[in-house]
Amino acid sequence: MKLAQVMEVLNAKVYTDVPFEDIEINAACGADLMSDALAFGENKGLLLTGLNNPQSVRTAEMMDIRCVIIVRGKEPDEALVKLANEKEIVIMKTDYSMYTSCGLLYAAGLRGGDE
């Protein structure tokens, strides 16, 4: 699934300047604890989280994640967006909850990588 479709499914807003429309995402994980996200393994492509600080971007960088989506309508702060731009990681925000966001993406065909 391309990130442009992810944005559409989640009615998400993009905050970074990183070109994203054609980035292919093969799997995703959802976690508020970054230690849980790290336990999912690497190369998931997409992280859904309520953690709205630079730690989410640093975790994404370690896992080769291309996009972090902040759930529950939280606005990413300037420091998070600046770091994400430097690391070429896309930051999006959705008003949906984590549960709903994951469900919508799953229904659209994006899997968690553990099937």
Side-chain angles (χ1 to χ4, degrees), residues 87-99:
K87 304 297 181 182
E88 297 186 354
I89 295 172
V90 179
I91 298 292
M92 294 185 190
K93 175 203 88 162
T94 183
D95 290 332
Y96 293 120
S97 69
M98 174 96 68
Y99 182 81

Side-chain angles (χ1 to χ4, degrees):
M1 174 181 293
K2 295 205 183 288
L3 268 182
Q5 185 180 359
V6 169
M7 185 180 85
E8 185 178 311
V9 167
L10 296 180
N11 193 29
K13 179 179 176 182
V14 178
Y15 287 83
T16 47
D17 299 326
V18 179
F20 70 93
E21 292 86 354
D22 293 326
I23 294 174
E24 188 71 33
I25 301 297
N26 297 316
C29 63
D32 282 343
L33 293 172
M34 294 301 96
S35 58
D36 287 347
L38 290 168
F40 280 111
E42 58 188 58
N43 201 19
K44 293 292 183 183
L46 177 68
L47 171 64
L48 295 117
T49 186
L51 185 63
N52 186 14
N53 66 40
Q55 185 180 0
S56 60
V57 173
R58 296 201 185 285
T59 301
E61 179 185 25
M62 288 175 27
M63 297 175 61
D64 288 333
I65 285 177
R66 304 295 311 273
C67 178
V68 175
I69 299 180
I70 310 295
V71 297
R72 299 188 292 272
K74 296 179 179 183
E75 292 285 333
D77 67 21
E78 194 174 308
L80 184 144
V81 173
K82 181 180 180 211
L83 179 61
N85 274 321
E86 290 170 7
K87 304 297 181 182
E88 297 186 354
I89 295 172
V90 179
I91 298 292
M92 294 185 190
K93 175 203 88 162
T94 183
D95 290 332
Y96 293 120
S97 69
M98 174 96 68
Y99 182 81
T100 299
S101 297
C102 291
L104 288 169
L105 291 173
Y106 191 89
L110 187 60
R111 300 297 184 247
D114 52 359
E115 281 96 27

